[in-house]
Amino acid sequence: MKPVKLAILGLGTVGGGTVRLLQQNAAEMTRRTGRPIQITHVGTRRPRPDLPLSGVDQRDDFMALVREPDVDIVIEVIGGTGLARELVMEAIRQGKHVVTANKALLAEYGNEIFEAAEAHDVHVAFEAAVAGGIPIIKVLREGLAGNRIEWLAGIINGTGNFILTEMRDKGRAFEDVLTEAQALGYAEADPTFDVEGIDAAHKLTILASIAFGVPLQFDKVYTEGITRLTRQDVSYAEELGYRIKHLGIARRTERGIELRVHPTLIPESCLIANVNGVKNAVLVQSDAVGPSLYYGAGAGAGPTASAVVADVLDLVRIMNEEGDGQHNVPHLAFQPDALADTPILPADQMYTAYYLRLDAEDQPGVLAEVTGILSRAGINIDAILQKPQQNGGRIPVILLTQPVLEARMNQAIAEIEALPAIHQPVVRIRLEALDSQP
Ligand code: HSE
């Protein structure tokens, strides 16, 4: 059969990994699809002699490659939302299928990209955009299609999880671990995307859309990073039986959908609490299956290339079918005209439990004033931990609460911070039991 011709745009970590994997498993891939797959064109500004690309047309004019009549599938792995967006839209207009690992592009412009793809009868595949080597897009869009998905919670940034793990296990400094994550090819071009939760918010936007059948709405994700986490809070959380993980959480409630990325205390007995290093994991709660957990490497050349290549094989199978171009799995899992307009809840309408750490003067009655405020706000306390005096007579007091509306907690914290015996700010970290209850 006629070979399928690929243009790979970008030869960074993911592009290089894709070239290697396509070469390494070429014979297996032909057995899977019935057709040889050839890299015929590569777009790069920095050719890489270390890659097996002899005979391949390598250029720095990416747009010219997208317009090459010979190319069947365009693989966009340059990242960003500028040139990448123009290239993807042009590939679609040229009637070519696209594979992309670009979560930022899809989270911010996916609605228009998918609309254009549907209008031009091509498919934009994006397994590599979320959780690296874990096939979570296929799981949500196809494997769990018989379920109503209630919520999902995931460690979906490998760099952040690598940093948290190394800091906790080896006491390493934040900056030092981040530098190593960059050298290993885990981090984004701008690593603040990793540590401030923006990358996770991009991925959560995509997961929530295909889980609940709603349009992509990146601007409505509540996002908080890991840069302000202290070793002190990590260790108090552990004393209370919890680990702190940077989670992306998407949950349907009766009032709307919660979309949030933030450091989260989770019980150390949960499997996901023991996901370490660059590994990602996504826990999905759905009505027929109950909880199911998906685990694997979330970043790096090999795992991300695995997802890119799986998408290429899917597209080759589509091309092999009659009526070339039609794909029976909608981009966002639900038919485009059946996407729901369920509201995304603002941050103060989120409902979650809390870890609070107070820096209190060691005086009689302070704890009674604090618990009085919480009690009047109807906030139920689950646990209290008071540590010995520190910092010239102050005592750290740690409280765990039951779930409460965020607006109510904001009010209670403001009242606690106004107490003369409490030093600002009150540290708050959200807490999730991750059980099957909403
Ligand atoms: N910077 C991302 C991460 C790469 O660390 O998870 C994979 O999307």
Side-chain angles (χ1 to χ4, degrees):
M1 261 179 121
K2 213 171 121 217
V4 173
K5 297 186 175 170
L6 310 181
I8 301 183
L9 309 182
L11 274 193
T13 302
V14 182
T18 301
V19 170
R20 287 192 198 284
L21 191 58
L22 282 166
Q23 195 213 29
Q24 184 182 315
N25 293 340
E28 285 277 294
M29 287 171 201
T30 304
R31 285 177 62 214
R32 289 179 190 277
T33 61
R35 268 170 102 164
I37 297 168
Q38 288 178 353
I39 303 169
T40 52
H41 301 79
V42 162
T44 181
R45 299 204 175 94
R46 279 185 298 262
R48 286 182 51 181
D50 60 309
L51 294 172
L53 285 171
S54 66
V56 172
D57 177 359
Q58 297 191 55
R59 292 187 234 164
D60 62 5
D61 184 347
F62 294 76
M63 196 55 89
L65 290 183
V66 166
R67 292 179 179 142
E68 271 291 328
D70 260 6
V71 170
D72 299 302
I73 298 173
V74 171
I75 302 178
E76 184 278 303
V77 282
I78 58 174
T81 55
L83 177 62
R85 181 179 172 201
E86 288 169 31
L87 294 169
V88 166
M89 290 303 279
E90 182 61 17
I92 292 169
R93 281 192 288 270
Q94 296 286 328
K96 298 181 196 304
H97 296 298
V98 175
V99 175
T100 179
N102 194 332
K103 51 263 163 147
L105 180 66
L106 296 179
E108 295 180 36
Y109 300 102
N111 295 320
E112 71 177 59
I113 289 171
F114 296 142
E115 194 181 332
E118 279 141 23
H120 287 83
D121 280 345
V122 294
H123 197 72
V124 177
F126 54 94
E127 186 63 70
V130 183
I134 309 174
I136 190 65
I137 302 296
K138 207 175 246 308
V139 163
L140 291 173
R141 208 162 54 176
E142 299 175 51
L144 296 177
N147 289 249
R148 177 180 161 90
I149 294 170
E150 289 151 13
W151 55 261
L152 59 87
I155 295 170
I156 47 180
N157 182 267
T159 303
N161 202 44
F162 180 66
I163 292 173
L164 288 181
T165 305
E166 291 287 305
M167 285 175 69
R168 172 182 168 268
D169 292 355
K170 301 182 188 156
R172 292 178 64 191
F174 186 97
E175 286 302 333
D176 170 37
V177 191
L178 176 57
T179 304
E180 189 183 345
Q182 288 176 292
L184 290 167
Y186 300 159
E188 295 302 297
D190 176 353
T192 59
F193 274 43
D194 295 294
V195 297
E196 294 298 355
I198 300 161
D199 176 74
H202 285 142
K203 294 165 178 167
L204 186 71
T205 302
I206 297 169
L207 292 180
S209 279
I210 60 175
F212 305 140
V214 295
L216 296 146
Q217 295 165 81
F218 168 67
D219 56 336
K220 297 196 180 137
V221 183
Y222 171 81
T223 305
E224 201 179 293
I226 55 172
T227 48
R228 285 172 299 281
L229 270 184
T230 65
R231 217 173 279 171
Q232 195 185 11
D233 290 313
V234 170
S235 113
Y236 293 153
E238 294 208 356
E239 271 188 60
L240 291 159
Y242 292 84
R243 295 265 168 88
I244 301 182
K245 290 291 182 187
H246 200 199
L247 290 192
I249 299 171
R251 175 152 56 201
R252 288 189 213 243
T253 75
E254 284 169 5
R255 296 161 295 119
I257 293 170
E258 292 183 0
L259 284 185
R260 45 195 172 98
V261 172
H262 50 69
T264 315
L265 270 77
I266 51 180
E268 66 187 2
S269 54
C270 288
L271 285 174
I272 197 168
N274 297 288
V275 170
N276 292 320
V278 73
K279 294 291 193 295
N280 280 193
V282 182
L283 176 61
V284 182
Q285 178 71 30
S286 61
D287 60 356
V289 180
S292 54
L293 179 65
Y294 308 90
Y295 168 83
T304 315
S306 160
V308 168
V309 171
D311 275 346
V312 169
L313 299 194
D314 262 356
L315 293 177
V316 174
R317 292 188 198 100
I318 291 168
M319 291 168 63
N320 286 348
E321 284 167 14
E322 290 209 22
D324 180 18
Q326 294 298 328
H327 188 41
N328 54 10
V329 183
H331 287 104
L332 291 178
F334 294 74
Q335 294 299 321
D337 60 1
L339 294 182
D341 59 1
T342 318
I344 308 298
L345 294 171
D348 69 355
Q349 294 304 303
M350 300 182 320
Y351 195 78
T352 180
Y354 285 86
Y355 162 105
L356 302 178
R357 175 165 57 79
L358 282 48
D359 186 16
E361 293 291 337
D362 194 3
Q363 293 168 3
V366 177
L367 213 49
E369 287 184 297
V370 170
T371 55
I373 289 170
L374 293 173
S375 153
R376 284 190 293 283
I379 299 171
N380 209 357
I381 298 169
D382 251 357
I384 299 185
L385 176 67
Q386 183 178 312
K387 303 303 287 182
Q389 276 195 9
Q390 293 177 357
N391 304 335
R394 298 190 199 166
I395 49 166
V397 176
I398 295 94
L399 297 143
L400 302 186
T401 77
Q402 294 256 312
V404 53
L405 196 69
E406 178 127 345
R408 188 176 289 199
M409 180 54 89
N410 291 343
Q411 176 61 32
I413 289 177
E415 287 179 38
I416 293 170
E417 286 181 336
L419 293 172
I422 300 293
H423 294 264
Q424 293 196 31
V426 169
V427 171
R428 72 158 92 186
I429 308 175
R430 294 169 185 83
L431 183 155
E432 294 286 339
L434 298 183
D435 53 19
S436 52
Q437 298 307 311

